[in-house]
Amino acid sequence: MSKATATKRHAELAAEIRAHDHAYYVLDNPTIADAAYDKLMKELIALEAEHPELRTSDSPTQRVGGGLREGFKKIKHVKPLLSLDSLMQQSEVEEFDERVRKGLGLDEGLFAAAVAYMAEPKFDGLSIELVYEDGVFVRGSTRGDGEVGEDVTDNLRTVRAIPLRFNDGPPAKGVVAIRGEVLIPLSAFDELNKRLLEAGSEPFANARNAAAGTVRQLDTSITASRRLDFFAYDIMHFEAPAKGKTPFPTQQSMLDALRAWGFHVESGVKRCEGLAEAITFHADLMARRDELPYEIDGVVIKVDDRAAQTRLGMRSRSPRWAVAFKFPPREEITLVQDIVVQVGRTGKLTPVAQLKPVDVSGVTVSRATLHNQDELDRKDVRIGDTVRVRRAGDVIPEVVEVLLDKRPSGTKRFELPMKCPVCGSEVIREGAAHLCTNGL
Ligand code: IVH
């Protein structure tokens, strides 16, 4: 194949694969069968083997990973990645609104005006900066201390929801810096933990740790094998065409630009006329929290007007124009007062931790399942231990881990009995299960 024909075919294939990736990973609307997709990818790989100069960093072939690294370089961010003030109480959020209105001169007596806010889910993942040059992805880094993060470019390239080059959308000449969150959908998280357990490895305590651990993998093929997702929520730097003119006057217009460039942008955001609507949004979202495909831990409330954001400015590490209105945490610390053994209808013995009652996101938790002897051995939960417990939706509360530095002296490992605590019959072990022989 001539050089010119190869170049043309390469561009066609790359564009086609990019469009299918976008449809599948961002729009959640597949446009091709797996086998046909694999065929396109194979052709592209073969073409690049023959013409290595066509293998550019934004080629779809670069998403498969495979490189092994010793560690991560440090990268200075284009713009500092600020953090947000975390608020738990509605009264604190009301005080934020008052400060904003005062700052914008909207609190004048009778004519006090409402501020328009954008309310967005607060993703419980890992904050990332992505840098594009002339619309091509060039590097990405973790938040680090906000100024300097770790260079995880190769790993991020394997995340299909991160465009390696911009789609349509506003012209993006020069440097564009984007901020968003890498996360792992809960279904992928469960699947990953199952695989890790089967392989005898330590599972991740929660989806956030799984996402963070996966982004910081030294072997990029491992990152590629896990289903990471990325949601974009901020354009931190954009070389605007005309000086002094904000290209994105509102949060909404900014999210629209991100979406047009090909990013995954949360559609369940709400522009609110005044704080009351944002507070309602927070309550509604909290009620639906367990139905979402990924973990969120609150709502971010941002002044919608970007010029007003600039006028409000920032404190040392956080903006004055946005806050995180958190949900109650899903995890709490408490004490294991006892471990009891339950016998189910099928004769299966289940160890259950009796806990000092603790409020976990609005529900009193006094028991947590320890599943079976393997889980007990792995977590080594003992009577007298201080533990981190977790409650997610309707799922039975779980002991996440033991705080070993709080373990009192003289504790013993817990073993399930080999005589049934209910009927005294012999207990046998079948795989991970302990079974009472009475009724087998
Ligand atoms: S905006 C200057 N929007 O929450 C404002 N942050 O505690 C920048 N986060 O480290 C942040 N979802 O990683 C923003 N929709 C969202 C977010 C979000 C999650 C994270 C972000 C930040 C942390 C702040």
Side-chain angles (χ1 to χ4, degrees):
M1 196 186 288
S2 77
K3 174 83 196 296
T5 322
T7 306
K8 182 160 168 278
R9 183 64 189 145
H10 185 276
E12 280 168 12
L13 281 169
E16 199 178 340
I17 292 172
R18 257 198 300 278
H20 291 309
D21 278 348
H22 183 249
Y24 186 93
Y25 293 101
V26 176
L27 306 178
D28 199 14
N29 182 20
T31 44
I32 189 171
D34 289 358
Y37 179 91
D38 291 347
K39 205 166 149 227
L40 294 176
M41 191 59 109
K42 272 205 185 115
E43 189 183 342
L44 192 67
I45 291 169
L47 205 56
E48 290 183 358
E50 218 173 297
H51 301 273
E53 71 282 3
L54 297 176
R55 191 182 294 136
T56 53
S57 67
D58 64 339
S59 165
T61 59
Q62 299 308 295
R63 290 204 186 271
V64 291
L68 199 63
R69 241 173 293 92
E70 302 246 296
F72 299 106
K73 254 188 351 203
K74 296 272 188 260
I75 289 195
K76 189 169 184 336
H77 298 307
V78 173
K79 286 276 163 70
L81 271 63
L82 303 177
S83 60
L84 293 172
D85 286 349
S86 274
L87 310 179
M88 296 301 300
Q89 305 296 334
Q90 183 173 324
S91 59
E92 298 172 299
V93 184
E94 284 162 357
E95 286 162 21
F96 157 74
D97 178 54
E98 269 165 40
R99 285 195 303 274
V100 166
R101 283 189 292 128
K102 205 170 202 158
L104 297 175
L106 296 173
D107 64 338
E108 312 287 289
L110 270 182
F111 301 102
V115 179
Y117 291 106
M118 181 61 97
E120 303 176 6
K122 182 175 184 306
F123 306 104
D124 195 10
L126 190 69
S127 197
I128 292 282
E129 181 193 60
L130 302 177
V131 182
Y132 288 77
E133 279 173 20
D134 294 337
V136 175
F137 175 57
V138 290
R139 61 179 184 276
S141 53
T142 60
R143 179 165 182 277
D145 65 3
E147 302 278 340
V148 174
E150 284 178 319
D151 180 350
V152 286
T153 308
D154 297 343
N155 285 349
L156 294 174
R157 215 170 250 131
T158 71
V159 179
R160 308 296 172 113
I162 295 179
L164 297 183
R165 73 158 71 174
F166 288 165
N167 260 358
D168 318 332
K173 281 267 158 265
V175 173
V176 178
I178 283 158
R179 181 169 180 182
E181 206 87 351
V182 167
L183 30 94
I184 188 159
L186 290 169
S187 58
F189 167 66
D190 290 342
E191 198 183 288
L192 170 61
N193 264 359
K194 223 167 102 201
R195 264 198 287 146
L196 289 172
L197 272 172
E198 276 164 14
S201 312
E202 194 64 15
F204 289 103
N206 53 48
R208 189 184 182 286
N209 289 3
T214 304
V215 166
R216 298 187 68 261
Q217 263 294 331
L218 292 172
D219 179 350
T220 54
S221 60
I222 294 184
T223 312
S225 73
R226 297 182 185 167
R227 223 161 15 99
L228 288 180
D229 202 347
F230 177 83
F231 279 91
Y233 50 69
D234 196 20
I235 302 174
M236 297 191 296
H237 178 83
F238 181 83
E239 287 169 6
K243 233 188 147 49
K245 199 170 148 244
T246 322
F248 312 108
T250 58
Q251 285 295 124
Q252 184 64 66
S253 63
M254 196 182 68
L255 295 179
D256 290 343
L258 287 167
R259 193 175 285 116
W261 282 334
F263 287 95
H264 213 172
V265 176
E266 173 60 52
S267 52
V269 301
K270 186 172 176 4
R271 188 176 182 280
C272 303
E273 288 298 336
L275 186 72
E277 283 185 28
I279 286 173
T280 306
F281 179 82
H282 175 268
D284 289 349
L285 200 59
M286 191 152 84
R288 289 193 297 117
R289 181 182 189 183
D290 297 324
E291 295 158 27
L292 301 180
Y294 43 82
E295 191 73 276
I296 62 172
D297 61 347
V299 168
V300 183
I301 302 176
K302 307 175 181 179
V303 171
D304 188 46
D305 185 311
R306 306 249 298 165
Q309 292 178 0
T310 310
R311 264 188 287 144
L312 287 163
M314 51 187 265
R315 292 201 270 236
S316 61
R317 308 212 108 245
S318 57
R320 285 203 180 83
W321 47 266
V323 283
F325 187 7
K326 300 275 296 251
F327 294 153
R330 290 195 185 277
E331 294 184 354
E332 288 295 343
I333 309 285
T334 190
L335 198 71
V336 178
Q337 292 175 322
D338 199 2
I339 297 177
V340 298
V341 179
Q342 280 183 353
V343 185
R345 265 190 307 117
T346 56
K348 184 172 173 273
L349 274 58
T350 305
V352 175
Q354 305 277 23
L355 306 167
K356 180 164 181 233
V358 61
D359 182 308
V360 186
S361 60
V363 170
T364 304
V365 172
S366 51
R367 300 153 70 78
T369 178
L370 297 166
H371 298 287
N372 54 43
Q373 188 70 50
D374 286 352
E375 274 285 293
L376 246 173
D377 290 344
R378 196 173 63 71
K379 290 180 179 160
D380 188 16
V381 181
R382 305 182 185 187
I383 298 169
D385 270 341
T386 299
V387 291
R388 185 189 307 283
V389 287
R390 179 177 179 79
R391 188 187 76 86
D394 296 336
V395 184
I396 307 165
E398 260 201 324
V399 170
V400 177
E401 61 175 353
V402 173
L403 307 185
L404 285 176
D405 54 340
K406 297 233 162 66
R407 172 170 284 170
S409 57
T411 59
K412 285 199 296 289
R413 275 187 172 270
F414 188 86
E415 298 279 343
L416 282 171
M418 295 314 284
K419 288 258 181 284
C420 176
V422 175
C423 68
S425 305
E426 203 185 318
V427 167
I428 55 160
R429 189 157 180 175
E430 233 179 66
H434 278 66
L435 300 171
C436 167
T437 49
N438 180 14
L440 270 186

